[in-house]
């Protein structure tokens, strides 16, 4: 099952993990052999301290893009559940931004699907970050070439 | 048609949404971009970086993708989520 | 920091995640940009239901082997913290077996170090599994060629 | 020397730990394995699979690794943790 949320509020990674374990039932799903999780959080910048990071998105397209990425992962690897949460709004250093969790019978598909989703999300989900610094400056975060390269490596085999 | 701007483009243009008729002679999103660039210096500056991405009806597309008057088109800089 | 536990008792994945976020302090570490986690749990077998899985290990060598694997990961990727927990004893279907968590400034090193540790652990940490089936049969789990192949792919580049 | 057995080897041999003097002529873990195989049919069966791994002083090693009387040697089948 695929579940996508784009939201301002924080998420509880431990609770999300339990949901992946249980796969909709009240007890642990014994078809699950492995769960891979990635979370991203706001890093501070030593040379120019951050007041907060503003995350803007394209309502409607964001959810559609994340859903498509999750569906591509589910078509490519035999996963059980995929959960994606991405926050929007103003986030301070240390706060969680994104959660990607994948449960599967085996670890290789859980790892691959989780990393694939993060790499594709980074280059195709319509989010834009603007840094608001303690000194009053603000600047839009530039896309990184390395993210484009990481996304492109999935175009070949697994 | 509805044209949306996001991120630094929205900020530079000072506009998030534009409701307009499909301009004469515009058949693709690339042509729509060229048409918008010709609206004035501010438009040329914001949209002339060569680094503008397109979505038509909420799918990311290439510049040769056709557009019609009923489409929702979005122009934005490379995405930086995650 | 590297932290290794080999234990009979269960672990709380949400709590372990919070420790990786905080990196030893009481608040979230703002040097951390990404956390990758993998957990493995006991799968049931449709064709021959499992009563429990017995996990045997080599006390002393197990901890040493896991420590060495974590140190190799820390030498290869710029990670902040590595946490490995592996359970021993009798585990029923749905129970957690292993936790590997890595925090880092960036997602690529968190993902790579986490997957590396799982792959190397699978072929070099001295654990042995024996399945005890509901029907009374028992059998040692065979090592898989695919695990050997997955471990060997880390011998080249990243 | 101390020789430890784990997993299916321990079970087949019915023994987890063997305290013995380093046998004459044994200089490597591979030679120690051959020496143990020659202890009887049960040993030959358990240790003759060609799929025995070695650890000397809690490090996994190849069959040509030297052993001395003060070493802790372990013999076990391929590991299956995780």
């Amino acid at each position: 099952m695929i579940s996508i949320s784009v939201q301002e509020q924080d998420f509880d990674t431990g609770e999300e993990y339990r949901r992946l374990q249980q796969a909709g039932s009240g007890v642990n799903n014994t078809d699950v052999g492995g769960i891979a999780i990635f979370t991203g959080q706001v890093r501070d910048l030593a040379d120019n301290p951050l007041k907060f990071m503003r995350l803007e998105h394209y309502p409607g397209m964001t959810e559609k893009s994340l859903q498509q990425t999750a569906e591509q992962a589910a078509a490519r690897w035999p996963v059980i559940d995929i959960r994606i949460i991405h926050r929007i709004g103003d986030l301070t250093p240390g706060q969680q931004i994104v959660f990607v969790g994948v449960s599967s019978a085996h670890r290789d598909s859980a790892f691959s699907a989780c990393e694939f989703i993060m790499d594709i999300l980074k280059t195709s989900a319509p989010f834009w970050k603007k840094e608001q610094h303690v000194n009053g400056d603000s600047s839009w975060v530039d896309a990184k070439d390395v993210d484009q390269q990481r996304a492109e490596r999935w175009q070949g085999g697994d | 048609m509805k044209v949306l701007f996001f991120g630094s483009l929205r900020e530079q243009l000072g506009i998030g949404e534009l409701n307009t008729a499909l301009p004469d002679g515009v058949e693709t999103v690339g042509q729509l971009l060229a048409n918008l660039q010709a609206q004035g210096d501010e438009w040329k500056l914001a949209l002339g970086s060569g680094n503008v991405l397109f979505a038509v009806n909420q799918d990311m597309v290439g510049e040769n993708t056709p557009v019609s008057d009923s489409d929702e088109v979005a122009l934005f800089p490379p995405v930086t989520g995650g």
Side-chain angles (χ1 to χ4, degrees), chain A residues 56 58 86 127 129-130 140, chain B residues 7 10-11 57 72 77 80 82:
Chain A
E56 176 176 332
Y58 180 173
H86 202 298
F127 292 102
K129 284 181 184 144
K130 188 176 190 183
W140 290 93
Chain B
R10 178 189 51 70
E11 198 176 70
N57 299 324
E72 175 178 305
T80 57

Side-chain angles (χ1 to χ4, degrees), chain A residues 56-61 64 68 86 121-130 140-141 143, chain B residues 4-8 10-11 55 57-60 72-74 76-82:
Chain A
E56 176 176 332
H57 81 307
Y58 180 173
M61 179 174 165
K64 186 177 176 183
Q68 284 169 345
H86 202 298
L121 178 162
K122 277 265 177 188
T123 56
S124 65
F127 292 102
W128 299 272
K129 284 181 184 144
K130 188 176 190 183
W140 290 93
V141 173
Chain B
L4 303 171
F5 305 98
F6 291 99
S8 55
R10 178 189 51 70
E11 198 176 70
N57 299 324
Q58 307 191 346
D59 278 318
M60 234 191 272
E72 175 178 305
V73 177
F76 46 78
V79 302
T80 57

Side-chain angles (χ1 to χ4, degrees), chain A residues 8 14 139 146 148:
Chain A
E8 289 199 14
S139 53
V146 65
Q148 198 59 45

Side-chain angles (χ1 to χ4, degrees), chain B residues 61-79:
Chain B
V61 296
E63 62 177 352
N64 295 322
T65 302
V67 283
S68 77
D69 200 44
S70 60
D71 286 335
E72 175 178 305
V73 177
L75 304 181
F76 46 78
V79 302

Side-chain angles (χ1 to χ4, degrees), chain A residues 43-50:
Chain A
R43 270 200 318 141
D44 207 352
L45 306 166
D47 51 346
N48 191 356
L50 205 61

